[in-house]
Each structure stands twice: as structure tokens, then as C-alpha cells.
Amino acid sequence: MRRTNKKSRTIFIFTFLALPVIHLLVFSYIPILSNVYLSFTKYSGVGIPEFIGLRNYERLLTDPQYISMFKNCLWYMIVAIPQLIFAFFLAVFINGKFRGLNFFKGVLIIPYLLNGVIISTIFIIFFNNSGTFNSLLKLIGLEGQQWLQNLRLVNPAIASISIWRYYGFNFVMFLGGLQTIPSELFEAAAMDGCKKLQEIRYISIPSITHILFINILLSISGSIQVFEIPYIMMNGSNGTVTPVIQIQQSAFSDNRVGFAAALSIMVFVIVVIVVSIQRVFDKRGELT
Amino acid sequence: MNKETKTYKVLRYVFLIAACIFVIIPLIPLVFMAFKTGAEYSSTSVLTPPKYWLNLYNFAYAIKVGKLGKALMNTAIILGISISIQIMFTTMVSYVLHRFEFTGKKLIFSLFMMTMFIPIVTTQTIVFQIIYRMGLVNKMLSVILLYSGVGIVGIYVILNLLATIPKELDESALMDGASYYRIFRSIIFPLLKPGCTTLLIINGIGLYNDFYIPNLYLRKDVQTFTVALYKFFGNTATPFEIVAAAILLGIIPIGIVFLFLQKHIFYGLAGAVKS
């Protein structure tokens, strides 16, 4: 009786785990391991990969064409700063009960729900030469710029779209964090005659530094994986190529699968470092 | 007790209204454009409202030429199937990991957890070859298959919920002679519904908006809504006011879902964040 029970238990565990685990191995682990191997080879996608050692990595780290695409990622990290500040204050102001709360929440979450194609179209209209931004600048007497053609402006311009697109995500995370602060804390502060600004400074900010830190790391790991906006809006032209656009280009248009693998591994390593920092910090946060 | 001074209240409204303007300004010209005629589009500023708000020609044209109806249908099929599988697998894996002790449990849990280190964009060079060899490129099944994996966020959401369901419930059912499958199906799964709603919302929004995977695997006739919009947008022969109309149509499904699920969306997103 116990034996059959044990057996049926094992069969049950196996049937419930088999397919999800196979999926995981076939579509995540085998590909990333194959990529490690292929990154040391010259491989066109057919035939036999030819071992070339570190040559792919050498090219990536020395060729100015490829270094510039990592520089492009820096713009996406820089715009994360105003993005996080904006999202933070939004969360602080919205946390509470007041007239119009749901209206504001509803409007402010819109950008986060839109997809890359929709956002790209909106911002093509926004940054075009006779587009929204230039028209607004003209209204206040400033001169418009060729935002998408000027090679010095195009990257900061399209990177800044991330602010509009992703602040909603940070906002929801901050709001979630603020709502876990016990209301007694605020009440006690109010008893002691604490001003609202002091309350933000001494209660709200310290309570969510943990979430702030996670958001910073997510922004960094996100900026190394930027793809949609520069790809859809610019197709990588005017020097807007990012590592992920380059992976796609090398692997699927140029048949340089080995090179694409090396670049994939570089992105992978950067993400591993960033996520590890977050995990270590997470554990420490749990202990205190 | 009234700690919110008048200045603070005013400050809050000023800030929030400014934020709303920041959100809405880029959207306004899109709405204007969608109702303009071709001649009107080229002769007026993007900030000028259309002459006739009832000019629906652009929308009709976009639906007909962009085959948007068919694409929306494809998206619905792909999302319906893959999210069902995803929810089923996520609850199954979480249940086994939460309720049973067995060799290799830790390993399997870490395998799922470590996927957060592997961005999807770093594996597609090889995944594409796998899908290609399976003969699935340009078939909906490719995207469904890739979307059907179990994510670690989902596992955490369900694990949190399982922790609130007493183990005695399983044990007494087992005493009564119910099989493990039956316990899962008839007792546990119905209790996991709130978690499934959360998964449905976060994955639904994520997959509806996904561009990378369908753009890579569905390159011909079968297209998802996002890719159909992209093809439309990328075709320079398409007049831009028509693109604007198509994009506005693309926002509508999101808007409808949002109106009905606003509370759930905030709860779902925040719930996923907290776990």
C-alpha cells in the first residue's frame, strides 16, 4: 500500500514538472550554453563552426563601430535618472486619498500599457521636423531642431522616450512600496507636528530606498537590452544601433552567428552582474 | 490630524496636472492626424485639430488594407492558448515545489530562478535555429511555444498564495482516497484563482505588447497585431494619416481592457512587484 503510494507520488511529481522543465532546458539553458561555445567560433548558421578563439570578443572591444553601440546604451542609463525622480514624486503625491485619485492613476498609467510600435509612431510625430516638439518650441519662440537627423541629438532624443514609456512601471513599484509603510508611522509623525515635506524626507524616502535601488538596477539592465524604439523608429540608422539590434542584424541578416553569439554573451554577462548585485542586496534587505 | 496643509494640496494638484499634460501632449497630434484628410495633413500643423471629426475614411482604409482584423484575431488565438498553458504550468510547478519534498527539488527551483539572468534577447540566435529545425518559422505555433514557458515571477505569485492554503486540506482529501491529480484539479486550482488573474493581467499586457518574438518568427502572412501595425508603419507608401488611424485603433483594445480592469491592473502589477 505504501509502496504504490510512493510510486504514484513520484509519477505525479514527474508528470507535473516534465514539460515545463524541458521547455526551460530547450529554450533557455541549451541556447545560452551553445552561445558560449559559438562565441569562440566563426559560424554562418550552416555547416561546421570554425574555432577562432577570442577574435569575436576582440573585435567587439576594439572596433569603434561596436564600442559606439555600448555608448548609446549610456544615454538610456542617463535618462533613467529623471525618470526615477519623476516616478518617485508621482508616487508620493498619489499615495493617499483625494478627489480625482482614480482619474490621475488612470491617465498616468497609459504609456506603460502601450506597445513599442504605438510609442514609436507617437514619437516619430513628436520629433519630426514639423512635429509636435518643434511646433511647441516655435510657439514659445525657440528654434526647432532636426532631432532625428542630427547625429548628436538623435540618441539622447530617442533615449528620452524611455522616460515617457517606462516611468509608469517605476511609479507602480514605488507606490506599492509606499503603501506597505504602516499608517501609524505617518499618524505619529503628524502628532509630533511633522510637515508633509519632512514626512517625505524622513519616512517615505528611507522606507523605499530598497525599491529605489532595485529600480536603478532594472534600469541599467534594461538599457543594455534596448531594442524596440531605435529599431522601429530608426531601424538602427543615424548611429542608433544598440547591442540587441546588432545581434539581430549579425545573426539574421549578415549570417555572422558566431559574432552574434559573442555579443549575446557580453550582454548576458552584464545582465548577470547587475542582477547579482540586486540579489545580494535583496538578501541583505531581508535580514535587516 | 489634518497634516496636509493647503499648500501641499495645491502643490499636489499642480504636479499631477503637469504630469497628465506630459502624458497627453504626445498623444494629441496622433488623434488629430487620424481624422485628417491627406491634403489637410500635409497643409496643417500637427497641433491643428481636424476640420471634420467625423472623417472616418482613414480608419476604414487602415482596417481593410492593414488586415488588422485578422491580425487581432491571430493575437487573440496566440494569447488565449499560450496564457492558458502558462497558467496551467505555473500552478502545476508551484504546487509541486511547495507541497512535495523530493530529490532535485532545489536544483529545479534554482533552474527556474536563474532564468532571470538570461534575457530572452541573448538566446534567440540559437532558439531561432531550434524553431527553424522544428519547421515552425512563420507558424503561430512557434510564438505559442515560446510564450508557454514558466516565469519566475509567476511562480512567486502562486507560491505566496499556496502558503495561505492549509496543508490539512490536501491531507484529508488524500485520506478520503482522492488522487494527487484530483486534489490539484478540484481543491487547489480553484483556490488559486486570484493568482491566476494576476498572471493573466501581467502576462496578457506583456504578450499583447510584445514585438520582439512575433517580429522574429512571424515574417510572412501570419502576423500578430503588433507586427501588422509595424508592417503598416514601416511601409513608406502608406500615407501617415492612415498609419495614425491604425495606431489609434491599436490603442482601443488596450483601452477597453483597461476600463474594465483598472483596479486589477494596479493590484496585479503591484502584486507582481512585491513578490
Side-chain angles (χ1 to χ4, degrees), chain A residues 9 15-16 23-24 29 35 38 93 99 102 109 113 115 121-122 132 164 167 173 196 225 227-228 232, chain B residues 8 12-13 15 22-23 26 29 92 101 111 114-115 119 122 125-126 145 149 181 209 233 247 262 273:
Chain A
R9 191 172 164 273
T15 49
F16 264 39
H23 188 282
L24 195 64
Y29 287 96
N35 259 345
L38 286 179
F93 279 123
R99 276 175 83 101
N102 282 330
I109 199 69
L113 303 175
N115 65 51
T121 315
I122 290 171
T132 318
W164 195 84
Y167 81 85
M173 279 185 91
K196 191 74 193 180
Q225 298 175 55
F227 170 73
E228 287 186 355
I232 299 170
Chain B
Y8 177 75
R12 171 163 65 197
Y13 279 111
F15 187 85
F22 168 72
V23 168
M92 280 159 59
E101 291 303 325
L111 278 181
M114 304 271 269
T115 49
T122 62
T125 43
I126 309 295
L145 190 61
Y181 301 96
N209 283 335
F233 168 84
I247 293 296
Q262 184 178 353
V273 166

Side-chain angles (χ1 to χ4, degrees), chain B residues 15-263:
Chain B
F15 187 85
L16 290 179
I17 290 167
C20 287
I21 293 172
F22 168 72
V23 168
I24 288 169
I25 277 186
L27 291 167
I28 292 173
L30 180 82
V31 177
F32 286 176
M33 209 174 273
F35 291 94
K36 285 181 182 176
T37 63
E40 204 183 346
Y41 164 63
S42 45
S43 64
T44 59
S45 153
V46 287
L47 298 178
T48 319
K51 240 191 213 144
Y52 302 107
W53 280 100
L54 287 174
N55 170 24
L56 298 177
Y57 170 81
N58 296 340
F59 294 94
Y61 187 90
I63 292 172
K64 208 173 117 208
V65 177
K67 295 181 189 138
L68 294 180
K70 201 178 155 216
L72 192 60
M73 195 65 196
N74 289 342
T75 296
I77 295 171
I78 290 174
L79 287 198
I81 300 177
S82 47
I83 293 183
S84 308
I85 299 178
Q86 217 177 44
I87 288 178
M88 209 169 73
F89 280 174
T90 307
T91 50
M92 280 159 59
V93 168
S94 311
Y95 177 63
V96 169
L97 289 177
H98 190 263
R99 292 294 215 256
F100 294 85
E101 291 303 325
F102 54 94
T103 16
K105 177 173 158 172
K106 273 214 165 126
L107 173 74
I108 287 178
F109 187 75
S110 349
L111 278 181
F112 279 106
M113 190 148 101
M114 304 271 269
T115 49
M116 69 169 79
F117 290 104
I118 311 176
I120 197 157
V121 293
T122 62
T123 51
Q124 294 313 306
T125 43
I126 309 295
V127 172
F128 189 86
Q129 301 206 343
I130 296 172
I131 296 285
Y132 180 78
R133 280 181 201 157
M134 291 166 100
L136 294 181
V137 173
N138 289 324
K139 296 200 175 112
M140 265 199 253
L141 201 54
S142 61
V143 178
I144 293 175
L145 190 61
L146 292 177
Y147 281 167
S148 298
V150 173
I152 186 66
V153 176
I155 292 185
Y156 274 129
V157 169
I158 302 297
L159 282 181
N160 279 344
L161 206 57
L162 277 168
T164 65
I165 302 172
K167 278 190 181 159
E168 289 76 26
L169 219 58
D170 312 31
E171 280 156 14
S172 66
L174 200 61
M175 295 287 204
D176 292 344
S179 70
Y180 291 113
Y181 301 96
R182 206 190 143 98
I183 294 172
F184 176 77
R185 202 179 51 216
S186 315
I187 300 175
I188 302 297
F189 189 74
L191 292 173
L192 294 177
K193 259 196 194 140
C196 295
T197 316
T198 306
L199 287 187
L200 180 72
I201 289 165
I202 43 180
N203 294 333
I205 296 173
L207 297 187
Y208 174 80
N209 283 335
D210 186 37
F211 170 74
Y212 187 78
I213 293 290
N215 180 53
L216 199 54
Y217 293 95
L218 304 177
R219 315 200 118 179
K220 285 194 184 140
D221 321 326
V222 188
Q223 286 169 355
T224 63
F225 196 53
T226 324
V227 175
L229 285 181
Y230 173 65
K231 289 278 151 72
F232 212 57
F233 168 84
N235 183 353
T236 44
T238 319
F240 214 80
E241 70 275 8
I242 309 265
V243 175
I247 293 296
L248 208 55
L249 287 173
I251 300 180
I252 291 172
I254 309 170
I256 293 172
V257 172
F258 180 74
L259 278 181
F260 286 104
L261 293 176
Q262 184 178 353
K263 280 227 170 82

Side-chain angles (χ1 to χ4, degrees), chain A:
Chain A
M1 176 63 201
R2 258 198 79 77
R3 248 191 110 76
T4 47
N5 230 341
K6 180 123 208 253
K7 201 175 156 197
S8 69
R9 191 172 164 273
T10 313
I11 294 173
F12 172 75
I13 293 174
F14 182 80
T15 49
F16 264 39
L17 289 180
L19 284 176
V21 171
I22 290 172
H23 188 282
L24 195 64
L25 294 177
V26 172
F27 294 117
S28 295
Y29 287 96
I30 291 174
I32 198 78
L33 292 175
S34 318
N35 259 345
V36 173
Y37 163 68
L38 286 179
S39 71
F40 300 113
T41 67
K42 190 178 173 191
Y43 179 49
S44 68
V46 284
I48 297 160
E50 175 198 338
F51 188 81
I52 55 165
L54 290 170
R55 284 244 299 278
N56 288 327
Y57 290 101
E58 255 173 55
R59 285 242 14 225
L60 276 169
L61 293 171
T62 52
D63 193 328
Q65 180 195 347
Y66 300 122
I67 294 172
S68 78
M69 87 200 160
F70 285 102
K71 278 189 197 150
N72 290 349
C73 293
L74 281 179
W75 283 113
Y76 292 88
M77 289 181 207
I78 292 168
V79 299
I81 299 168
Q83 176 186 326
L84 290 174
I85 295 174
F86 177 58
F88 172 76
F89 279 102
L90 214 49
V92 167
F93 279 123
I94 272 224
N95 188 26
K97 282 202 174 73
F98 57 94
R99 276 175 83 101
L101 172 67
N102 282 330
F103 168 80
F104 286 118
K105 264 182 159 181
V107 172
L108 294 169
I109 199 69
I110 292 174
Y112 184 60
L113 303 175
L114 303 180
N115 65 51
V117 182
I118 295 176
I119 291 184
S120 297
T121 315
I122 290 171
F123 281 92
I124 284 272
I125 299 170
F126 191 79
F127 281 123
N128 254 344
N129 291 341
S130 54
T132 318
F133 196 33
N134 279 347
S135 305
L136 289 173
L137 286 178
K138 220 161 97 189
L139 277 183
I140 55 170
L142 289 174
E143 206 176 321
Q145 300 286 335
Q146 294 196 311
W147 300 103
L148 301 178
Q149 285 82 39
N150 186 327
L151 298 185
R152 303 176 74 180
L153 294 176
V154 63
N155 276 308
I158 60 173
S160 66
I161 298 170
S162 305
I163 303 177
W164 195 84
R165 184 176 190 189
Y166 290 118
Y167 81 85
F169 172 77
N170 309 118
F171 159 63
V172 172
M173 279 185 91
F174 288 143
L175 192 59
L178 288 174
Q179 284 171 348
T180 60
I181 303 174
S183 55
E184 292 84 24
L185 218 56
F186 290 117
E187 278 159 25
M191 294 277 209
D192 293 342
C194 180
K195 295 250 173 56
K196 191 74 193 180
L197 279 176
Q198 288 174 310
E199 190 187 291
I200 293 172
R201 167 75 184 78
Y202 294 107
I203 302 177
S204 302
I205 294 182
S207 306
I208 63 164
T209 41
H210 172 66
I211 295 176
L212 179 67
F213 187 70
I214 292 177
N215 274 282
I216 292 172
L217 291 171
L218 281 176
S219 301
I220 296 173
S221 97
S223 37
I224 206 80
Q225 298 175 55
V226 169
F227 170 73
E228 287 186 355
I229 302 294
Y231 178 81
I232 299 170
M233 274 179 80
M234 310 297 298
N235 205 2
S237 63
N238 295 358
T240 56
V241 174
T242 62
V244 177
I245 294 178
Q246 186 64 50
I247 291 173
Q248 179 139 331
Q249 172 81 20
S250 303
F252 303 114
S253 307
D254 306 345
N255 295 328
R256 292 163 68 205
V257 178
F259 182 77
L263 186 49
S264 300
I265 294 302
M266 274 182 76
V267 171
F268 169 66
V269 168
I270 295 170
V271 171
V272 166
I273 293 170
V274 174
V275 180
S276 307
I277 296 173
Q278 181 197 323
R279 298 305 294 176
V280 169
F281 189 86
D282 249 6
K283 291 236 170 71
R284 225 186 281 155
E286 275 159 26
L287 288 176
T288 50

